């Protein structure tokens, strides 16, 4: 009689445990709004802006983000089922808020912009304040109430 291969069994258990942990971690992050740190240094006395911010500002402007407006940018793909669910949530949330614009961007048509804005999966949402800064981002289908809670203060600040 041959003894079972314990090394193979140990590897199988380790791979299953790692996959389960990764799944739980991803599930915990999916659909959660995350604050985006403002990586800009304070503006110089001449009002100059760091080069990275100019690049993002130019990328956002090329996608259709208008200065002075709060914008929700949704990166989606035609074959993405969660993107359709996200679109329904966004239509509901932005339809009830004055001063919030919804902009849907197809990653297949704007791949360079997606890369420049660090978008690696769909759906990805970027919440852009009236100053043109990305203040929050979420990957996956967002929670409606959490999204609404994040947009209300941004919309109120834009109206002032």
């Amino acid at each position: 009689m041959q003894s079972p291969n314990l090394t193979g069994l140990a590897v199988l258990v380790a791979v299953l445990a790692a996959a389960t942990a990764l799944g739980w971690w991803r599930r915990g992050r999916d659909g959660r709004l995350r604050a985006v740190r403002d990586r800009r240094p304070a503006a110089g006395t001449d009002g100059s802006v760091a080069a990275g911010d100019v690049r993002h500002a130019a990328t956002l402007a090329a996608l259709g983000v208008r200065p002075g407006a709060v914008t929700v940018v949704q990166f989606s793909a035609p074959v993405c089922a969660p993107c359709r669910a996200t679109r329904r949530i966004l239509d509901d949330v932005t339809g009830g808020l004055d001063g919030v614009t919804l902009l849907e961007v197809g990653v297949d048509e704007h791949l360079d912009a997606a890369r420049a804005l660090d978008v690696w999966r769909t759906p990805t949402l970027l919440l852009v304040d009236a100053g043109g800064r990305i203040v929050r981002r979420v990957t996956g289908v967002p929670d409606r109430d959490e999204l609404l809670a994040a947009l209300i203060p941004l919309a109120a600040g834009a109206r002032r």
Side-chain angles (χ1 to χ4, degrees):
M1 230 169 144
Q2 194 174 25
S3 65
N5 185 352
L6 293 180
T7 303
L9 183 61
V11 168
L12 175 65
V13 169
V15 167
L16 289 175
T20 301
L22 181 64
W24 281 339
W25 173 79
R26 183 172 173 190
R27 187 176 192 190
R29 287 181 57 112
D30 227 19
R32 301 282 183 239
L33 283 165
R34 295 186 317 270
V36 175
R37 288 182 294 148
D38 190 4
R39 296 186 181 128
R40 291 188 296 185
T45 55
D46 62 349
S48 61
V49 179
D53 298 322
V54 171
R55 181 184 53 128
H56 283 138
T59 302
L60 290 169
L63 293 174
V65 175
R66 294 178 291 117
V70 174
T71 307
V72 179
V73 182
Q74 177 188 356
F75 283 89
S76 60
V79 296
C80 172
C83 295
R84 290 187 289 276
T86 298
R87 179 58 190 235
R88 285 190 297 273
I89 291 170
L90 290 174
D91 285 340
D92 180 42
V93 168
T94 59
L97 286 175
D98 290 332
V100 177
T101 304
L102 175 59
L103 179 63
E104 189 168 0
V105 177
V107 291
D108 51 342
E109 300 157 1
H110 300 280
L111 190 56
D112 289 339
R115 286 182 181 149
L117 295 170
D118 202 25
V119 173
W120 295 103
R121 57 182 280 231
T122 57
T124 294
L125 301 179
L126 304 176
L127 277 58
V128 182
D129 69 4
R133 292 179 304 272
I134 301 170
V135 293
R136 297 209 184 246
R137 69 184 300 137
V138 61
T139 55
V141 179
D143 179 72
R144 181 194 178 285
D145 295 333
E146 187 179 14
L147 184 61
L148 190 59
L151 284 172
I152 288 173
L154 290 176
R159 284 191 291 255
R160 286 185 211 173

